[in-house]
């Protein structure tokens, strides 16, 4: 019998418990820039000891060379003896403290008899400020101690046109003020002038001195990076009047309350988790800042906010599908306020999205594969195939909006912010499909799926399924926001459903799996996770045998050193099938070859090459393998499910301090013999909207209670009223592959639609797959058949059936 226990809920205690050492990463010399840590706070970011600072949303360069504008790093102060310019510094130690968000350099000279500690960090409350603090302490010396420092601003930025320098006085403190404007707009149609930036900084002496009378002394330098002189002055005045160090600690505590996932019994893994959470959350805005809302948040780039300041390097600070499909899911559950800001970015750039669709002959909105300030396509010219064919980004954005609705149940948001987005992206797919008279279904041709090694293919199964998701969601949202879409005929929403149900579903019945696309030849190598994404995150209904066959086949042909996120998805797939050994192997592969010593910086490459630094896309995928994989957390329409939560390999406890659902926060604590969910702060109204099942038994749900379980827990969103229960607005299950003729005159249940989709798949897809099995390189159909059959007959040693 499980016991219900009332207790005083103290979430902040969960943050500081555990092994504090696991927050500290140390080195005796600085690594190369690609694996040097990035520090950021949602407004600004920089590579430690780098000569550049980047501001959220500030870009320079026309179209495909638009990149984060490089602002000289007037906060780049270094100890001369430990400078990044030295190959082998002596008596120097370097430390990244993720708990406090600070980077420290310590110089201890035994002969000189002194110690100097220098720390630098972006303040998370005064988020326009970089703090440098230098502390000199006398150890044995009796003489004056002089410490040489360097102010390594770097060359003038080629991205900026600077105004004449000014002097700025703030309550007796003298600063130098550099204001400038970026040289080139991204697209003059959407951006009339360049971005304005202003930096206030101090003159830095060449030496700092500790007199013989002093035991220790601290030197503080504050550097402000903003959009205007007025904002600079406001920030400096605020810094003068407030305890900025304490407020920074408060914001770091709030961050770790959300992102402080930890495991016990495996310190190595715990450090990986902390690094992943730190680098991902660092580029997001704080919950509370001194000048809130001064500038919209312009999304997450694969390399975060502190990188992307060079043309054609480190993704130039652009947003891809990485944001919505790899980084957004853990942020949504841990930090829904910032998840909403990520979606809001996509609503800032809709003019360009509408023009992009129209220019390509489509309706609605087509999101750019690479998006920056304006939302126009900014993929570099040397990658023409990607924007031409990789259109699933539009459905990826809509899928993130769908997940946000799942997580919040927020109908008001659905009827306002999400309304036009869901409708216009569905219109895009309605116009994007091609009718195939031979199968009486809709094809999506001239496409590229997530596997970027193959373009201009037909019926990418990932693209087709997520496009159908988009169309079903568009019809559902359109029903809810009729007033917002005044003038749109009901017939259009019905057409969304009609098209969605009849999009072709590639399926091979002989091998019980999904070919990646119509022309795919089994055995062809692929770049990264593609078909396997149907299981998670898309949760497309299929037989377990189909999911297993997809995993086994595509794991054999996927690049072993491809993007890290691939193996996170394979981990989740194997966990869903209770194949624990395979899941553990994929889990280790998902991070071990992608983390770079000594600061656990994520790399996009698994072959040892640096690649783009601070690859937070990989961090996002890894966190999904924990939260959505081992913890078993899934968002579905009207409910949050925790199914069969398990411990990650080699651990004794797995703790997620905060999960959010429908306005209620709770923690999840997983042990060897079960799990505990503990509910925290939430309004009475929020709790009234929910019901709770633990191990399939309904429990009374209260603020400040904990509930123990062994197998599962479900939070259900109660219908707001009887009227809503009977609402005609229905979010239909995503089923596809139906002939149009079979939609006329009669309705099918979801189960019947799945059966029909399989049957239609046999009629329309089997022939093309058989053709593909002949191979393009001389392999015979019979040889290919034998090879695939042999692969699929291999069963994992510890495979178990799902309960």
């Amino acid at each position: 019998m499980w016991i219900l226990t009332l207790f005083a809920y103290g979430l902040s205690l969960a943050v500081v418990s555990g092994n504090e050492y696991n927050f500290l990463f140390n080195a005796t010399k600085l690594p190369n820039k690609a694996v040097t840590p990035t520090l950021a706070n949602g407004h600004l970011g920089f590579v430690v000891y780098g000569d550049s600072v980047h501001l959220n949303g500030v870009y320079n360069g026309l179209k495909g060379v638009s990149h984060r504008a490089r602002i000289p790093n007037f906060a780049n102060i270094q100890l001369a003896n430990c400078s990044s310019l030295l190959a082998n510094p002596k008596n120097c130690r370097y430390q990244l403290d993720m708990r406090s968000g600070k980077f420290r350099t310590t110089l201890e000279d035994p002969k000189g008899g002194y110690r100097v500690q220098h720390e630098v960090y972006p303040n998370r409350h005064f988020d326009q400020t970089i703090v440098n603090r230098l502390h000199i302490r006398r150890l044995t010396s009796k003489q004056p101690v002089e410490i040489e420092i360097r102010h390594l601003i770097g060359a003038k930025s080629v991205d900026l046109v600077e105004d004449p320098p000014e002097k700025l006085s703030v309550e007796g403190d003298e600063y130098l003020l550099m204001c400038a404007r970026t040289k080139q707009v991204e697209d003059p149609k959407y951006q009339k002038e360049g971005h304005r930036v202003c930096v206030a900084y101090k003159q830095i002496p060449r030496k700092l001195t500790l007199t013989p009378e002093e035991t220790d002394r601290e030197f503080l330098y504050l550097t402000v990076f903003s959009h205007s002189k007025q904002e600079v002055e406001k920030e400096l005045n605020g810094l003068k009047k407030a305890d900025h160090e304490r407020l920074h600690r408060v914001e770091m505590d709030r961050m770790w309350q959300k992102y402080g996932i930890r495991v016990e019994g495996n310190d190595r893994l715990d450090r990986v988790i902390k690094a992943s959470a730190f680098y991902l959350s660092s580029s997001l805005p704080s919950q509370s800042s001194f000048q809130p809302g001064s500038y919209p948040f312009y999304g997450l780039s694969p390399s975060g906010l502190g990188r992307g300041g060079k043309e054609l390097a480190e993704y130039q600070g652009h947003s891809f599908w990485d944001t919505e499909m790899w980084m957004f899911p853990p942020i949504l559950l841990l930090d829904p306020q910032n998840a909403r800001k990520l979606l809001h970015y996509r609503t800032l750039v809709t003019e360009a999205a509408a023009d992009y669709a129209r220019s390509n002959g489509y309706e609605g909105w087509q999101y750019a594969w690479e998006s920056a300030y304006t939302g126009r396509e900014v993929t570099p010219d040397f990658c023409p195939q990607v924007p031409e064919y990789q259109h699933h980004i539009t459905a990826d954005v809509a899928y993130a909006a769908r997940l946000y609705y799942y997580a919040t149940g927020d109908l008001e948001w659905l009827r306002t912010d999400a309304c036009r987005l869901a409708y216009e992206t569905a219109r895009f797919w309605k116009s994007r499909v091609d009718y195939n008279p031979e199968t009486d279904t809709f094809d999506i041709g001239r496409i590229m799926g997530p596997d970027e090694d193959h373009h201009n293919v037909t019926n990418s199964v990932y693209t087709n399924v997520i496009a159908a998701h988009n169309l079903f969601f568009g019809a559902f949202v359109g029903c809810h926001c009729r007033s917002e879409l005044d003038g749109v005929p009901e017939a259009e929403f019905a057409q969304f459903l009609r098209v969605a149900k009849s999009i072709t579903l590639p399926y091979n019945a002989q091998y019980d799996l999904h070919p990646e696309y119509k022309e795919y030849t089994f055995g062809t190598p692929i770049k990264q996770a593609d078909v396997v994404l149907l299981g998670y995150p898309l949760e497309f209904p299929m037989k377990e045998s189909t999911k297993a066959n997809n995993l086994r086949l595509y794991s054999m042909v996927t690049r072993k050193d491809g993007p890290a996120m691939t193996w996170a998805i394979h981990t989740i797939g194997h966990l869903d099938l209770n194949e624990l050994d395979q899941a553990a192997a994929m889990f280790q592969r998902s991070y071990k070859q992608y983390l770079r010593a000594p600061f656990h910086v994520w790399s996009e490459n698994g072959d040892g090459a640096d690649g783009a630094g601070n690859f937070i896309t990989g961090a996002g995928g890894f966190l999904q393998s924990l939260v959505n994989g081992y913890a078993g957390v899934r968002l579905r329409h009207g409910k949050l499910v925790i199914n069969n939560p398990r411990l990650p390999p080699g651990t004794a406890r797995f703790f997620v301090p905060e999960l959010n659902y429908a306005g209620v926060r709770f923690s999840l604590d997983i042990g060897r013999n079960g799990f505990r969910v503990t509910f925290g702060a939430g309004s009475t109204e929020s709790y009234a909207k929910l019901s709770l099942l633990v191990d399939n038994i309904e429990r009374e749900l209260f603020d400040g209670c904990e509930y123990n379980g062994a197998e599962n827990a479900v939070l259900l969103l109660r219908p707001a009223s009887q009227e809503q229960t009977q609402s005609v607005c229905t979010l239909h299950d995503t089923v596809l592959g139906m002939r149009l003729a079979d939609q006329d005159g009669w309705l099918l249940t979801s189960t019947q639609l799945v059966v029909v989709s399989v049957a239609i798949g046999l009629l329309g897809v089997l022939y093309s797959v058989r053709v593909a099995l002949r191979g393009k390189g001389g392999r015979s159909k019979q040889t290919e058949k034998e090879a695939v059959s042999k692969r699929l007959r291999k069963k994992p040693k510890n495979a178990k059936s799902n309960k």
Side-chain angles (χ1 to χ4, degrees):
M1 178 80 62
W2 299 107
I3 300 172
L4 170 68
T5 305
L6 295 173
F7 81 112
Y9 183 75
L11 186 60
S12 62
L13 295 177
V15 178
V16 295
S17 60
N19 191 342
E20 291 292 309
Y21 167 76
N22 290 344
F23 287 99
L24 305 176
F25 295 79
N26 300 289
T28 55
K29 67 177 183 178
L30 290 169
N32 65 57
K33 181 188 174 185
V35 294
T36 298
T38 297
L39 298 179
N41 61 14
H43 170 73
L44 59 83
F46 59 98
V47 177
V48 170
Y49 290 157
D51 66 0
S52 305
V53 170
H54 304 123
L55 296 188
N56 159 52
V58 177
Y59 294 85
N60 184 64
L62 184 66
K63 301 178 182 178
V65 294
S66 174
H67 57 279
R68 293 199 192 278
R70 177 189 169 263
I71 302 167
N73 188 358
F74 292 92
N76 188 20
I77 300 170
Q78 301 183 28
L79 300 176
N81 285 12
C82 305
S83 168
S84 60
L85 302 177
L86 300 176
N88 294 295
K90 295 181 179 180
N91 304 319
C92 298
R93 300 191 308 276
Y94 306 91
Q95 182 182 80
L96 174 62
D97 182 350
M98 294 183 181
R99 179 70 182 82
S100 65
K102 299 176 179 179
F103 190 87
R104 300 190 183 97
T105 301
T106 302
L107 169 63
E108 185 165 339
D109 189 338
K111 293 182 179 179
Y114 63 86
R115 179 191 300 125
V116 185
Q117 185 177 85
H118 168 218
E119 63 182 25
V120 60
Y121 64 96
N123 194 290
R124 285 198 67 85
H125 178 75
F126 290 95
D127 61 6
Q128 301 185 8
T129 302
I130 297 177
V131 178
N132 278 276
R133 189 187 306 274
L134 297 102
H135 186 264
I136 307 174
R137 177 177 293 276
R138 186 184 306 280
L139 298 178
T140 59
S141 172
K142 305 296 184 183
Q143 305 299 318
V145 176
E146 291 189 337
I147 305 299
E148 289 192 35
I149 59 174
R150 299 286 181 264
H151 196 195
L152 302 176
I153 299 169
K156 281 195 172 186
S157 173
V158 297
D159 296 328
L160 303 177
V161 177
E162 295 184 12
D163 296 343
E166 297 182 43
K167 290 186 177 180
L168 184 65
S169 178
V170 178
E171 295 192 6
D173 271 354
E174 297 295 327
Y175 290 85
L176 295 175
L177 181 70
M178 186 284 291
C179 288
R181 190 176 295 278
T182 54
K183 287 183 178 179
Q184 196 168 33
V185 297
E186 191 171 280
D187 188 323
K189 182 175 182 179
Y190 309 109
Q191 184 182 1
K192 302 307 179 186
E193 59 183 9
H195 302 273
R196 186 78 172 161
V197 297
C198 286
V199 184
Y201 62 100
K202 288 266 193 177
Q203 288 276 28
I204 307 299
R206 296 282 293 179
K207 292 182 179 180
L208 304 179
T209 302
L210 187 68
T211 65
E213 295 78 24
E214 295 175 309
T215 303
D216 67 326
R217 187 177 179 186
E218 185 175 276
F219 300 84
L220 181 68
Y221 299 99
L222 306 174
T223 311
V224 176
F225 296 78
S226 190
H227 298 285
S228 68
K229 180 179 178 180
Q230 292 72 27
E231 284 194 354
V232 167
E233 290 178 316
K234 183 179 179 181
E235 185 92 349
L236 289 170
N237 275 297
L239 289 161
K240 275 281 189 181
K241 297 172 183 176
D243 184 349
H244 54 83
E245 172 68 18
R246 181 187 65 80
L247 292 170
H248 170 75
R249 287 197 303 269
V250 168
E251 288 305 315
M252 288 302 299
D253 284 347
R254 287 175 174 166
M255 187 273 279
W256 284 115
Q257 284 171 12
K258 295 177 180 296
Y259 290 89
I261 301 169
R262 70 175 187 270
V263 295
E264 295 177 6
N266 188 338
D267 282 350
R268 288 186 177 181
L269 177 58
D270 193 51
R271 289 166 69 78
V272 175
I273 295 170
K274 286 175 168 52
S276 302
F278 175 76
Y279 290 123
L280 179 63
S281 63
S282 291
S283 287
L284 294 167
S286 294
Q287 186 172 326
S288 172
S289 58
F290 178 65
Q291 301 190 56
S294 61
Y295 204 68
F297 186 62
Y298 277 85
L300 283 177
S301 178
S303 286
L305 180 53
R307 296 175 184 263
K310 291 184 179 179
E311 290 185 10
L312 310 180
E314 293 186 319
Y315 298 108
Q316 301 186 114
H318 297 169
S319 291
F320 297 69
W321 77 310
D322 302 48
T323 304
E324 281 75 21
M325 299 307 290
W326 298 109
M327 296 181 252
F328 181 85
I331 293 169
L332 175 60
L333 287 166
L334 305 176
D335 187 6
Q337 289 180 325
N338 275 323
R340 184 164 181 165
K341 289 178 181 178
L342 289 174
L343 285 174
H344 182 64
Y345 163 64
R346 296 297 188 178
T347 68
L348 297 174
V349 296
T350 55
E351 182 185 0
D355 288 346
Y356 197 31
R358 192 178 305 113
S359 69
N360 289 324
Y362 305 124
E363 301 173 11
W365 295 347
Q366 179 183 357
Y367 281 101
W369 177 246
E370 296 190 31
S371 177
Y373 178 67
T374 66
R376 66 106 58 225
E377 183 63 76
V378 288
T379 300
D381 291 341
F382 64 76
C383 300
Q385 296 167 345
V386 179
E388 184 176 357
Y389 298 110
Q390 201 158 14
H391 297 171
H392 63 80
I393 177 68
T394 297
D396 299 330
V397 172
Y399 193 67
R402 178 175 175 142
L403 288 178
Y404 184 83
Y405 172 67
Y406 283 0
T408 62
D410 190 343
L411 281 172
E412 182 61 28
W413 172 84
L414 196 74
R415 292 177 178 133
T416 52
D417 289 23
C419 177
R420 186 63 65 175
L421 186 153
Y423 168 67
E424 297 290 357
T425 53
R427 283 184 68 212
F428 168 77
W429 290 109
K430 179 175 70 73
S431 67
R432 181 65 177 80
V433 299
D434 299 312
Y435 177 65
N436 185 337
E438 293 183 8
T439 60
D440 194 28
T441 59
F442 292 107
D443 293 340
I444 301 179
R446 309 173 306 284
I447 205 74
M448 176 193 288
D451 172 19
E452 294 175 332
D453 286 350
H454 300 96
H455 65 277
N456 194 14
V457 303
T458 305
N459 291 331
S460 152
V461 69
Y462 172 86
T463 303
N464 286 17
V465 168
I466 201 166
H469 271 321
N470 195 164
L471 286 158
F472 282 118
F473 187 58
F476 173 70
V477 176
C479 177
H480 271 291
C481 57
R482 291 186 180 92
S483 60
E484 291 289 324
L485 299 172
D486 187 32
V488 176
E490 291 291 328
E492 181 152 25
F493 303 132
Q495 187 68 4
F496 289 169
L497 296 175
R498 186 172 173 82
V499 171
K501 292 176 183 177
S502 290
I503 292 177
T504 301
L505 176 65
Y507 174 73
N508 183 301
Q510 185 175 7
Y511 302 124
D512 185 23
L513 51 75
H514 295 286
E516 186 176 281
Y517 48 87
K518 177 182 177 181
E519 305 88 349
Y520 182 74
T521 302
F522 291 117
T524 301
I526 67 172
K527 177 182 178 181
Q528 63 188 59
D530 190 306
V531 176
V532 296
L533 295 167
L534 268 59
Y536 174 86
L538 300 192
E539 297 211 308
F540 180 66
M542 68 181 84
K543 296 181 297 183
E544 285 196 0
S545 59
T546 309
K547 184 184 295 186
N549 289 337
N550 286 341
L551 276 170
R552 289 179 193 126
L553 179 67
Y554 290 104
S555 66
M556 297 173 189
V557 297
T558 304
R559 291 187 199 170
K560 301 306 179 189
D561 59 355
M565 315 87 68
T566 288
W567 311 118
I569 296 301
H570 281 258
T571 300
I572 297 170
H574 286 297
L575 288 170
D576 284 350
L577 295 167
N578 283 318
E579 298 174 352
L580 304 187
D581 288 347
Q582 285 73 17
M586 292 297 176
F587 182 63
Q588 290 197 3
R589 181 182 289 182
S590 74
Y591 67 89
K592 280 196 170 180
Q593 60 186 355
Y594 299 95
L595 287 179
R596 299 291 182 262
F599 300 111
H600 275 38
V601 174
W602 277 85
S603 171
E604 66 175 332
N605 293 334
D607 59 1
D610 290 332
N614 195 44
F615 190 58
I616 56 176
T617 302
F622 171 74
L623 292 175
Q624 287 187 63
S625 72
L626 288 164
V627 176
N628 306 107
Y630 282 100
V633 180
R634 302 294 172 86
L635 288 166
R636 291 169 187 151
H637 189 208
K639 59 187 174 182
L640 178 145
V641 177
I642 303 171
N643 187 49
N644 199 12
R646 285 166 284 218
L647 290 171
T651 64
R653 184 189 181 200
F654 175 23
F655 183 69
V656 184
E658 180 175 319
L659 291 165
N660 292 267
Y661 182 68
V664 169
R665 294 187 295 122
F666 64 97
S667 65
L668 175 61
D669 197 347
I670 302 168
R672 290 192 174 98
N673 300 313
F675 66 90
R676 177 184 297 121
V677 287
T678 303
F679 287 86
S683 66
T684 303
E685 180 184 353
S686 296
Y687 275 97
K689 293 189 300 185
L690 296 172
S691 58
L692 173 67
L693 298 174
V694 178
D695 290 343
N696 304 313
I697 300 172
E698 187 167 2
R699 310 293 180 92
E700 291 190 46
L701 181 59
F702 298 102
D703 180 356
C705 293
E706 64 180 28
Y707 306 82
N708 294 329
E711 295 182 357
N712 58 67
V714 182
L715 274 170
L716 294 164
L717 193 62
R718 300 179 190 271
S721 64
Q722 187 67 19
E723 178 184 354
Q724 183 174 330
T725 304
Q726 298 173 350
S727 170
V728 296
C729 297
T730 301
L731 181 53
H732 293 273
D733 292 338
T734 298
V735 290
L736 53 156
M738 227 179 139
R739 291 193 313 127
L740 280 169
D742 293 331
Q743 293 194 47
D744 296 330
W746 59 293
L747 298 175
L748 297 177
T749 67
S750 299
T751 302
Q752 288 170 325
L753 283 171
V754 172
V755 173
V756 170
S757 71
V758 173
I760 297 302
L762 293 179
L763 293 174
V765 180
L766 186 55
Y767 172 76
S768 60
V769 173
R770 287 174 182 264
V771 171
L773 288 176
R774 296 191 183 102
K776 297 181 180 180
R779 172 179 271 189
S780 69
K781 179 174 69 175
Q782 184 63 25
T783 303
E784 186 72 42
K785 177 180 176 181
E786 291 172 354
V788 174
S789 297
K790 183 177 180 181
R791 286 171 176 168
L792 298 184
R793 282 196 299 269
K794 292 182 178 179
K795 299 292 183 181
K797 294 180 180 179
N798 68 328
K800 303 176 183 178
S801 62
N802 278 344
K803 294 183 179 178

